Amino acid sequence: MTDTSGGMTRRVLLRNSAFLALVTTSASGCSLLSTDPDQTSEGGGGGAKGKEAPMLAERVKAGTLPPVEERLPADPLVLEPTEGMGAYGGTWRSAVTGGADGPWLHRTIGYEPLMRWSRDWTTQIPNVAESITPNDDASEYTIALRPGMRWSDGEPLTTADVEFGYQHVTLNRDLVQGHPETLARGEDPAELEIVDEHTFLIRFTGPNALFLPNMARTVDGDRLVAYPRHYLEQFHADFAEDAGSKAQAAGFNTWEEYFNSLGNDWGVLWTNPDLPSLKAWICTDPLDRGSVARFERNPYYFKTDPEGSQLPYLDDVRYEVVPDPETMLLRAQNGDFDFHSRHFNSLENRPVLAESREKGDYRFIEFESTYSNEMAIALNLNHADEAVREVYQQKDFRVALSHAIDRQELINAVWQRQGEPYQVAPTPESRFYDQEFAEQYTEHDPELAEDLLDSLGYDSRDSDGYRLRPDGQRISITVDVAEDALVTVWVQGMEQVARYWEAVGIQTTVNPMPRENFEVRLGDNKQDASVWTGDGGRGDEISSPLWYFPHSTNAGSDFARHWANWYRTRGQGPDADTEEPPEVPRRQMALFDELLSEPDEDARDEIFREILALSKEQFYAIGTVRVPGSYGIVSNRLQNVGGPLPDSPTYNTPAPAAPEQWYFEG
């Protein structure tokens, strides 16, 4: 990875007609990869640095590991260090709250997709793929893997793994429900064609202009190279006659359940130490078996620094299980974490952490917010109760609730006086910024809210002062909140919002729950309302348009999951969770399909502006606050981390800062 600059404006690589093949810098020449012990240089930490870590050199000397030149691909991916050449050794200490905290592992050690975001989030650069070449209309992509690249157990990575994973796992409806959106157009899955041992084609039924950026996303970009065939086929009934008996012996009812537990769940990277991996660090002590999860350097990792020294520099990564965020905060103050930016990094805690920097020997790293909103509120427009749905689908009802919120008081009380009132709309840094969209209905005007609710026919109240529907039932909203998610202020924030809504006669209850329960309720369509962060503020507007129309069943389109499922399945999904949307959302869906088929970036932008204009008109969800950014803490000994980073799940912060080239000074 060579781009380490700042900046935030992302332009997708498929610009106008320049659908060019992407190639990467590679190491070549035997001198670069020589393992001659005399060929050493002074690393940034001041110690001698050879071509591989001392712990691996010892295994080579003992005869338990091949020489490094046999473990690397023919042309390794060369990473330019962010600040300087590193030195081998050391343990990166971090923490998780438990098994449900897998996203933090994806963001730190789990990011090895086919493509990779540049640090400044301007483009995608080759990673596991040596190159990806689109055809003229972006309906077909030729993907070349790196010859000689190996899984962590030393077995070659080839297109046989791709074919196994796609044809026998991704398209196997007993293992995977529905097509991954990034590998399909509507209900039509992409076609895979194997060209040779290292080259394959992905062919869509029409243009797919977002395929390259999707291949730089975590999970989406990993999917085609996530299934080591030589390991997993022994548990797959298409290849192993005894797959069923193996499953039963392991305590599972079916081979499918057993297979998914071993290699078809994105959490198994952290729980199955036998699963071969392409990551920089591989599982040695699983997340689900103790109080510490440990991951040790991958001896077959495919990247080097410019001197030909195999990465990663750090020997291992340890995640201590710390369920309580307050305890995690105390541990951070004590200097027990080398890089961490999760659970305790609230605005409220920043002064506390600042006071402990000298004692804890750490510094701050700034994260530039890409979110449109810190707490977006989604009423369930597809509510199972038709009477409730009718209320929520009235735009003026949502407008009234928005005007009832005193956002400045909310900012002062919950967000430490930082931020501004904001709707779920692109931010001022975005090329799609629309000030009117961002500020509409944000004025605190409870009288206007009362008038709007009265005009909708909700002017009758019960003996407790709560408004009634025309059928005589009380209007009551229960807001589900994932209390153990990244944002620790949602419960406090929604309790404040509940007071504003109660003041205009709407009974409101805040319902905190574990994230797993929260996601189940969303899937079952049992929620009145929910909250989440507003993706799509800047940098990922087109790639994550979740709040701008019913796009997918991911968090963000929670205001209308059944409409989103209709779009995802093109109306062919189960009746229980699919509902044909009204005219305007259908128009947005048609426009987004048009956008996907448009090879010209400027033309795509114009289409997306039309989608945003309709979103502004519809006012699907209620925004509250936008803040400038967040932060993490970094040990003063940890180097090559660099400066500010975009903060976004699409970017997968901090992964594009390339932790594999981080190292400890001294």
Side-chain angles (χ1 to χ4, degrees), residues 430-450:
S430 168
R431 65 187 187 274
F432 299 109
Y433 175 61
D434 175 347
Q435 182 177 357
E436 187 178 32
F437 187 8
E439 297 177 357
Q440 66 179 355
Y441 318 129
T442 57
E443 180 184 2
H444 179 225
D445 193 337
E447 290 185 6
L448 176 57
E450 297 259 18

Side-chain angles (χ1 to χ4, degrees), residues 322-334 336-337 344:
V322 184
D324 178 36
E326 288 300 318
T327 303
M328 198 180 289
L329 173 63
L330 292 173
R331 298 289 302 278
Q333 291 176 263
N334 289 334
D336 292 342
F337 306 135
F344 60 75

Side-chain angles (χ1 to χ4, degrees), residues 41-120:
S41 64
E42 293 300 313
K49 176 171 72 73
K51 300 305 180 186
E52 63 182 348
M55 62 184 290
L56 298 182
E58 291 175 4
R59 293 171 60 184
V60 173
K61 185 177 180 180
T64 60
L65 192 69
V68 64
E69 66 269 21
E70 296 179 16
R71 304 196 309 267
L72 287 165
D75 289 314
L77 175 58
V78 177
L79 259 68
E80 291 288 341
T82 300
E83 296 157 351
M85 294 296 178
Y88 288 122
T91 296
W92 170 6
R93 300 166 300 158
S94 186
V96 291
T97 56
D101 208 3
W104 179 236
L105 281 79
H106 276 295
R107 283 173 172 248
T108 48
I109 64 171
Y111 184 64
E112 294 296 349
L114 287 170
M115 304 297 288
R116 187 183 185 99
W117 288 119
S118 59
R119 184 189 173 99
D120 63 0

Side-chain angles (χ1 to χ4, degrees), residues 269-405:
L269 283 168
W270 330 127
T271 58
N272 181 7
D274 296 326
L275 179 68
S277 169
L278 301 175
K279 315 302 183 186
W281 296 274
I282 56 177
C283 181
T284 54
D285 297 309
L287 178 60
D288 60 349
R289 299 184 198 173
S291 60
V292 175
R294 180 173 173 270
F295 300 82
E296 189 176 280
R297 67 167 69 253
N298 178 357
Y300 292 90
Y301 193 57
F302 62 102
K303 300 177 187 178
T304 72
D305 68 16
E307 294 179 346
S309 297
Q310 187 186 32
L311 298 172
Y313 289 137
L314 300 176
D315 286 338
D316 62 352
V317 187
R318 292 167 55 91
Y319 299 88
E320 188 169 350
V321 178
V322 184
D324 178 36
E326 288 300 318
T327 303
M328 198 180 289
L329 173 63
L330 292 173
R331 298 289 302 278
Q333 291 176 263
N334 289 334
D336 292 342
F337 306 135
D338 298 302
F339 183 104
H340 201 83
S341 61
R342 196 171 174 89
H343 299 301
F344 60 75
N345 60 325
S346 65
L347 295 174
E348 181 181 13
N349 287 339
R350 180 159 185 153
V352 176
L353 287 162
E355 291 178 0
S356 299
R357 280 177 292 184
E358 184 175 352
K359 178 186 74 171
D361 194 25
Y362 58 79
R363 63 190 184 273
F364 286 132
I365 181 171
E366 303 300 331
F367 291 157
E368 301 165 339
S369 177
T370 65
Y371 295 110
S372 65
N373 227 266
E374 289 300 301
M375 190 176 74
I377 307 169
L379 295 180
N380 183 5
L381 308 186
N382 297 155
H383 201 289
D385 186 323
E386 291 187 10
V388 175
R389 183 192 316 177
E390 183 178 348
V391 174
Y392 293 173
Q393 285 190 5
Q394 293 174 305
K395 176 184 174 181
D396 278 350
F397 181 78
R398 303 191 297 276
V399 171
L401 294 186
S402 184
H403 278 302
I405 300 172

